[in-house]
Amino acid sequence: MDAGPFPFDVYEDQCPTRMVLDRLADKWALLLMLRLADGPLRFNQLRRDVKGISQKVLSQTLKKLERDGLVTRTVYPTVPVTVEYALTPLAQTLREPVEALTRWAESHMDAVQAAQQAYDAGAAAR
Amino acid sequence: MDAGPFPFDVYEDQCPTRMVLDRLADKWALLLMLRLADGPLRFNQLRRDVKGISQKVLSQTLKKLERDGLVTRTVYPTVPVTVEYALTPLAQTLREPVEALTRWAESHMDAVQAAQQAYDAGAAAR
DNA sequence: CTCCTTAGTATCCATTTGAAACCATGTTTC
DNA sequence: GAAACATGGTTTCAAATGGATACTAAGGAG
């Protein structure tokens, strides 16, 4: 059995595709990119919008996204200083796949929750 | 500014969509589902195929996927015992979105790596 | 002077992860 | 009969990560 329709074997260590996939498989990164898809936002605005994210994790995640070329960080010398985060054109190409994933989550979460309840009920019986 | 085209606000805590998304945003879960998309596999076969995963994490991740109704676990009373994991019909509907994500990773990893190198070079100068 | 805003960093502690050892079962090897 | 190997895991413990909270700096309002 081969690795499927992909030119690279994503199951190998060191596969660059896998490195990229590791970054995308991040709860906060996905939520932040979805939030920024509607337009640039500032640090504290993101923090208020994406509920539950801490300042530290927000800062770290934005830095990772910036390093990956998915987000730009622009500082305006106002007072207090304004920092605006925006998606890059590269991230725009990622918008459709990510939104497809959220659409799946939306339309299938009933099935997932039902499966969880059935599983938990069975586990209790064991 | 509203929450976008979604009926639920994925930026709210407690949003079921967000709970589902949290599960999907898992590096190993995504890789395992991709691997199983070609057909059922056994525990140690998965372990050998998806390089770098530990037995513990493989076991834990498969349990989560089973609980979410994405993977079935079938025990055959051979000797030694054979345990086969397979995607459910529900997981089959997830195959396309996930493969779209890997296709993106494949075709854009050059850009991501270039961005990383540029970022790191700039960070060294600072 | 005190409190508020901005965008973070620093610190501490809990949870998660990863590597390796161990377990139970049964077959083959020496 | 004892050692080694296969299966599919669980246990153990250190290390990395995540999250809550407090703090910084620079300036404006009262």
Side-chain angles (χ1 to χ4, degrees):
Chain A
M1 202 176 289
D2 74 336
F6 304 108
F8 298 97
D9 185 353
V10 294
Y11 311 108
E12 287 291 339
D13 260 350
Q14 312 308 330
C15 160
T17 302
R18 187 152 148 180
M19 295 179 198
V20 175
L21 209 55
D22 287 358
R23 294 288 156 81
L24 298 181
D26 179 313
K27 160 186 159 183
W28 296 120
L30 284 177
L31 286 173
L32 288 176
M33 282 192 286
L34 281 170
R35 193 76 200 91
L36 288 173
D38 290 335
L41 286 173
R42 288 154 54 177
F43 186 88
N44 278 329
Q45 192 60 50
L46 277 169
R47 186 158 73 94
R48 279 187 292 265
D49 287 357
V50 180
K51 293 184 175 64
I53 194 168
S54 71
Q55 290 181 316
K56 189 182 82 171
V57 173
L58 176 56
S59 176
Q60 286 174 345
T61 306
L62 286 170
K63 267 185 198 152
K64 278 187 212 162
L65 289 173
E66 192 191 354
R67 186 173 112 92
D68 291 344
L70 294 168
V71 157
T72 57
R73 180 180 182 275
T74 313
V75 180
Y76 298 100
T78 55
V79 67
V81 64
T82 299
V83 181
E84 200 174 69
Y85 291 93
L87 293 190
T88 62
L90 177 61
Q92 294 292 348
T93 68
L94 185 56
R95 184 177 174 167
E96 253 314 293
V98 169
E99 289 187 351
L101 218 55
T102 64
R103 279 194 298 272
W104 183 92
E106 239 167 61
S107 48
H108 294 90
M109 65 178 180
D110 299 347
V112 171
Q113 289 190 316
Q116 288 176 351
Q117 285 168 17
Y119 183 93
D120 293 347
R126 276 165 230 155
Chain B
M1 201 177 290
D2 75 338
F6 305 109
F8 297 96
D9 185 351
V10 295
Y11 311 109
E12 287 291 339
D13 259 350
Q14 309 309 332
C15 160
T17 302
R18 187 154 147 178
M19 294 178 197
V20 176
L21 209 55
D22 287 358
R23 293 289 155 80
L24 298 181
D26 179 313
K27 160 187 161 184
W28 296 121
L30 284 178
L31 287 173
L32 288 176
M33 281 193 286
L34 281 171
R35 192 75 200 91
L36 288 173
D38 291 335
L41 286 173
R42 289 155 53 181
F43 186 88
N44 278 327
Q45 191 61 50
L46 277 170
R47 186 159 73 95
R48 280 187 291 266
D49 287 356
V50 180
K51 293 183 176 63
I53 195 168
S54 71
Q55 289 183 316
K56 189 182 79 172
V57 173
L58 176 56
S59 176
Q60 286 174 345
T61 307
L62 286 171
K63 268 184 197 153
K64 279 187 213 162
L65 289 173
E66 192 192 352
R67 187 172 111 91
D68 290 346
L70 294 168
V71 157
T72 57
R73 180 179 183 275
T74 312
V75 180
Y76 297 100
T78 57
V79 66
V81 65
T82 299
V83 181
E84 200 173 69
Y85 292 92
L87 293 190
T88 63
L90 177 61
Q92 294 292 346
T93 68
L94 185 56
R95 184 177 174 165
E96 252 314 293
V98 170
E99 287 188 352
L101 218 57
T102 63
R103 279 194 297 273
W104 183 93
E106 238 168 62
S107 49
H108 294 90
M109 65 180 182
D110 299 348
V112 170
Q113 288 190 316
Q116 288 176 351
Q117 285 169 17
Y119 183 93
D120 293 347
R126 275 167 231 153

